[in-house]
Amino acid sequence: MLKEKFLQYLRAERHYSVLTVKSYDYGISEFEKFVENDREKVDWGTVAAGDIRRWIVYLMDNGSANSTVNVRLSALRSFYRFLFTRGFVRHNPLSGVTGPRQEKPLPKFMQERQMDCLLDGLNIEDTYKGTLDHMVLQMFYSTGIRLAELIGLDVDDVDFDNGTLKVTGKRNKQRVIPFGEELREELNNFLCRRDAEILCQSERALFVFKGKRVSRYYIYNMVKERLSSVTTQAHCSPHMLRHTFATAMLNNGADIEVVRELLGHASLRTTQIYTHTTFEELKKEYGKAHPRGGKLDK
């Protein structure tokens, strides 16, 4: 049986996990059942592109999300690639078939008033940990820095004279991020407290907790806890603050190319998702403020 040969190939040669193989099996079996509604038995060599397109329509008509359809289609695509390369079929019916477009969810971000409440509020303790947490939150919001970039910052990466940070991003690419007077002052105050706190003066990490460079675990959980105090949004994370930085910049008139450079995006297309976010925010405000705003299409 061809399907079993394929599943065994996934297990033995590709070393796929049990759950992954099960997912492939389910997707192929679902297509098999669909075809068998019209035929007594599936002949994998005679399946046509039209059969697959009808299956896609059937799945979508029955409430399957675009992402689910694409997962099922991916399993079938891999199956036919296996059949074709091993000579079990003479043609691959999926060569001209594309799945439904998968919409990317808009990035979640904090409102400016929420960030003002978080950074200017009285809920930050007057301890080294409180100062550290506040500085980290301010750094995320003021620069749009990535989590890994923030953790990797050394004291020497801060240029107070020019008001810039030197960060190492994805694929070890370095870029320079400017910062303003408010962050400069806070960094100066933080460094004084940091130097008094740490015992090892040779430690060059900018953000230190318990004598060593902060961990991803510490930052992630701290941000989640702090953001949850001012928002009811689920899945609060450091990346949400990066989204918040980009959205705030665009909402306040920044050029999208400038935002792209600040974020370290290789492509402008990646940055453009934030223009959709700001437009959705405009629609929401219009709907609340205009007397007939409720009629606006969503």
Side-chain angles (χ1 to χ4, degrees), residues 9 43 57 78 83 94-95 97 181 189 213 220 223 257 263 286:
Y9 157 77
D43 180 351
V57 172
S78 296
L83 296 180
L94 285 104
S95 58
V97 176
E181 191 58 39
N189 294 335
R213 190 181 298 270
Y220 190 91
V223 170
E257 179 63 31
L263 291 173
Y286 174 89

Side-chain angles (χ1 to χ4, degrees), residues 55-113:
W55 181 51
I56 293 173
V57 172
Y58 167 79
L59 291 173
M60 297 182 71
D61 285 347
N62 281 272
S64 293
N66 288 8
S67 57
T68 301
V69 174
N70 283 318
V71 169
R72 301 284 175 261
L73 199 57
S74 176
L76 194 63
R77 199 181 300 280
S78 296
F79 178 47
Y80 262 101
R81 193 180 300 119
F82 169 83
L83 296 180
F84 182 74
T85 55
R86 299 296 173 97
F88 293 118
V89 297
R90 294 185 177 181
H91 76 287
N92 184 346
L94 285 104
S95 58
V97 176
T98 57
R101 183 177 178 181
Q102 194 160 325
E103 296 291 337
K104 289 187 176 181
L106 291 175
K108 294 181 179 179
F109 62 95
M110 302 285 288
Q111 301 290 339
E112 289 183 44
R113 55 178 173 76

Side-chain angles (χ1 to χ4, degrees), residues 238-257:
H239 214 65
M240 182 185 284
L241 291 175
R242 182 168 158 86
H243 296 325
T244 302
F245 163 82
T247 304
M249 290 287 291
L250 290 169
N251 279 344
N252 287 282
D255 183 88
I256 189 171
E257 179 63 31

Side-chain angles (χ1 to χ4, degrees), residues 150-165:
L150 179 136
I151 292 171
L153 281 175
D154 289 337
V155 174
D156 293 340
D157 293 328
V158 183
D159 185 339
F160 284 97
D161 292 334
N162 295 312
T164 58
L165 293 174

Side-chain angles (χ1 to χ4, degrees), residues 128-129 132 154 190 193-215 218:
Y128 172 72
K129 183 182 183 306
L132 170 66
D154 289 337
F190 167 73
R193 195 149 191 177
R194 168 199 176 276
D195 292 345
E197 176 74 16
I198 63 174
L199 299 176
C200 179
Q201 296 302 318
S202 63
E203 176 58 66
R204 301 313 302 156
L206 177 60
F207 296 116
V208 179
F209 186 64
K210 293 185 177 179
K212 58 184 180 180
R213 190 181 298 270
V214 292
S215 66
Y218 175 87

